[in-house]
């Protein structure tokens, strides 16, 4: 049996008519930027996240960068980010001229460890950027308490966590702002690049909208040195077609994850931990194994697709060589980078495929 790491085909087949209708609707209007589809999606996505405002952007990285820019974070400032995440989190900080300051995660959940944040705060720190990695929420009570005590902004990176909850509230509703990615592989994925910022702050939302539209509040009137980052009408229409199915998609991913968590019983495999009060959405199901290369080869030989998130931690990336970090500076992130292996997790996996993955892993 072959089980791919990810497949879009089951969901696309199920939503085929809705997605084609979305395309036809936009094509018939001949209006492709800043139109009714974008406006409609922003309204429903804000409501879904439990916030007042949503601003569509070109991608998730831009959403984070524009949030920081709108908050006035710039050269000389520092922003705390987890040492274990996709590089876009740090790049958003770099793009506004600030310095990313890495803080280690809890190895059981892969998410930033709130107990380590305070020691990383300096007089240059302006914000904390927690990442709800792999679809599991961070411990937002502790993070928000630290931010309040030190008068710091909080910008949530929700790129992998559409619909995940912490104590009954959806991610993206805790901080000053939050950035989402709608890259096709996300739980809520467009059919191309797309992203959004959400917030309860109207002034911040208006500023982000202007910043993403060349710094313009109305045509040919530019109040900021802005960027070009807008959610186009086609992607907004596709996202609007998918959003009503979001909870069903996430529930199915939780069902698959529960099967993995309850039925994988191999002492060589370290399963992720779900912390109390969290309801994950499992964008990624990452296991750990000290023999990662051998396990990966074994699974691939058995027809099971895998991926590694992320094999080179950010502090050891060539592009951040100037920060002066060396191997050993962030041992938890480095340990995860050497041992994490992501196994198949997508809407539409059959029971036979799920069981095959479990049986093969148990047989390793």
């Amino acid at each position: 049996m072959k089980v791919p790491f990810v497949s879009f085909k089951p969901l696309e087949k199920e939503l085929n008519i809705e997605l084609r209708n979305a395309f036809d609707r936009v094509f018939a209007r001949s209006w492709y930027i800043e139109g009714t589809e974008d406006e409609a999606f922003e309204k429903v996505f804000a409501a879904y996240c439990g916030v007042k405002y949503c601003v569509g952007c070109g991608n998730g990285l831009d959403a984070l960068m524009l949030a920081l820019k709108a908050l006035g974070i710039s050269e000389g400032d520092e922003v705390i980010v987890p040492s274990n995440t996709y590089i876009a989190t740090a790049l958003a900080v770099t793009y506004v001229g600030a310095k990313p300051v890495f803080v280690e995660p809890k190895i059981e959940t892969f998410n930033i460890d709130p107990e380590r944040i305070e020691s990383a705060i300096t007089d240059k720190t302006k914000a904390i950027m927690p990442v709800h990695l792999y679809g599991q929420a961070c411990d937002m009570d502790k993070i928000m308490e630290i931010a309040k005590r030190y008068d710091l902004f909080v910008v949530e990176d929700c790129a992998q966590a559409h619909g995940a909850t912490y104590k009954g509230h959806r991610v993206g509703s805790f901080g000053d702002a939050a950035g989402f990615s709608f890259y096709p592989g996300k739980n809520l994925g467009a059919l191309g690049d797309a992203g959004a910022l959400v917030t309860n702050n109207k002034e911040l939302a208006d500023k982000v909208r202007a910043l993403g539209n060349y710094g313009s509040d109305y045509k040919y009137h530019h109040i900021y040195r802005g960027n070009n980052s807008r959610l186009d009408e086609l992607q907004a229409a596709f996202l609007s077609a998918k959003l009503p199915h979001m909870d069903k998609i996430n529930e199915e991913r939780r069902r698959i994850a529960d099967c993995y968590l309850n039925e994988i019983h191999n002492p060589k495999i370290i399963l992720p931990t779900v912390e109390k009060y969290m309801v994950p959405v499992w964008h990624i199901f990452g296991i750990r194994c000290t023999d990662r290369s051998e396990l990966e080869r074994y699974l691939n030989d058995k027809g099971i697709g895998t991926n590694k998130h992320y094999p080179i931690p950010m502090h050891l990336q060539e592009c951040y060589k100037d920060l002066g970090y060396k191997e050993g500076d962030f041992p938890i992130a480095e340990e995860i980078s050497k041992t994490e292996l992501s196994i198949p997790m997508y809407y539409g996996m059959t029971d036979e495929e799920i069981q095959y993955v479990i049986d093969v892993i148990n047989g390793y």
Side-chain angles (χ1 to χ4, degrees):
M1 180 182 289
K2 287 189 177 297
V3 184
F5 173 67
V6 67
S7 175
F8 304 147
K9 290 182 180 179
L11 183 61
E12 289 173 351
K13 182 178 180 181
E14 189 174 312
L15 300 183
N16 182 279
I17 294 175
E18 292 171 70
L19 292 171
R20 289 180 181 276
N21 286 343
F23 173 84
D24 290 343
R25 194 168 63 242
V26 174
F27 191 64
R29 288 197 190 108
S30 297
W31 191 285
Y32 304 111
I33 299 289
E34 295 185 314
T36 55
E37 296 290 345
D38 188 15
E39 183 179 350
F41 173 72
E42 288 178 351
K43 183 177 180 179
V44 294
F45 190 65
Y48 180 79
C49 293
V51 299
K52 295 179 180 178
Y53 308 103
C54 171
V55 181
C57 305
N59 52 67
L61 169 56
D62 283 359
L64 296 173
M65 180 272 291
L66 290 169
L68 295 175
K69 196 171 183 179
L71 290 168
I73 296 169
S74 60
E75 191 170 351
D77 295 335
E78 294 178 352
V79 177
I80 290 173
V81 302
S83 57
N84 175 57
T85 183
Y86 185 54
I87 199 166
T89 312
L91 288 175
V93 178
T94 302
Y95 287 171
V96 298
K99 176 185 176 183
V101 175
F102 303 125
V103 169
E104 291 273 63
K106 298 175 75 170
I107 200 165
E108 300 85 1
T109 65
F110 305 109
N111 277 337
I112 192 168
D113 186 348
E115 303 301 327
R116 297 172 181 266
I117 290 176
E118 201 163 358
S119 62
I121 295 173
T122 71
D123 58 359
K124 295 180 180 179
T125 307
K126 294 296 186 294
I128 305 170
M129 189 179 285
V131 181
H132 306 296
L133 201 66
Y134 302 165
Q136 181 166 196
C138 297
D139 190 340
M140 291 309 298
D141 277 354
K142 291 181 181 178
I143 292 170
M144 294 306 296
E145 187 277 325
I146 294 169
K148 183 177 180 180
R149 185 150 31 98
Y150 287 91
D151 194 25
L152 303 175
F153 296 117
V154 173
V155 177
E156 298 173 68
D157 184 339
C158 303
Q160 300 183 7
H162 315 68
T165 64
Y166 173 81
K167 295 187 177 181
H169 298 279
R170 286 201 167 108
V171 297
S173 64
F174 296 94
D176 297 276
F180 284 85
S181 166
F182 303 123
Y183 180 78
K186 306 297 185 183
N187 292 30
L188 178 60
L191 303 189
D193 273 322
L197 170 136
V198 300
T199 182
N200 282 310
N201 185 324
K202 185 179 187 303
E203 183 181 349
L204 182 64
D206 290 344
K207 188 171 183 179
V208 167
R209 190 177 301 282
L211 284 168
N213 187 32
Y214 300 96
S216 174
D217 55 348
Y218 61 88
K219 197 172 181 67
Y220 302 132
H221 184 260
H222 303 272
I223 51 179
Y224 310 113
R225 297 178 182 179
N227 302 81
N228 174 19
S229 183
R230 300 168 296 196
L231 176 61
D232 71 66
E233 287 288 279
L234 271 175
Q235 300 307 334
F238 293 143
L239 290 167
S240 290
K242 285 187 171 185
L243 184 59
H245 305 273
M246 192 74 262
D247 290 342
K248 178 180 71 172
I249 292 167
N250 286 339
E251 188 57 43
E252 176 63 9
R253 298 177 89 102
R254 279 192 288 272
R255 185 184 76 84
I256 298 167
D258 286 344
C259 291
Y260 287 160
L261 290 168
N262 293 326
E263 298 180 36
I264 293 176
H265 303 294
N266 186 325
K268 294 183 178 181
I269 305 301
I270 303 169
L271 296 169
T273 298
V274 179
E275 294 198 326
K276 194 176 180 182
Y277 305 121
M278 319 291 188
V279 180
V281 294
W282 299 109
H283 170 60
I284 296 294
F285 194 93
I287 60 178
R288 290 198 301 114
C289 180
T290 54
D291 305 322
R292 199 247 315 266
S293 295
E294 288 77 7
L295 175 62
E296 181 181 29
R297 192 158 40 244
Y298 166 79
L299 293 177
N300 294 168
D301 287 346
K302 297 287 188 178
I304 296 173
T306 58
N307 206 334
K308 296 185 285 289
H309 296 88
Y310 301 97
I312 304 174
M314 289 187 297
H315 67 284
L316 299 180
Q317 293 284 356
E318 183 75 15
C319 65
Y320 280 121
K321 193 165 59 174
D322 62 308
L323 295 180
Y325 294 118
K326 62 183 184 305
E327 190 167 353
D329 285 345
F330 296 95
I332 299 177
E334 291 171 30
E335 177 69 13
I336 292 172
S337 74
K338 294 172 184 174
T339 59
E340 191 275 347
L341 188 68
S342 304
I343 60 176
M345 169 59 70
Y346 57 89
Y347 180 84
M349 284 185 75
T350 66
D351 289 343
E352 291 76 17
E353 289 171 331
I354 297 166
Q355 193 60 52
Y356 180 69
V357 172
I358 291 167
D359 291 343
V360 170
I361 290 175
N362 283 337
Y364 174 65

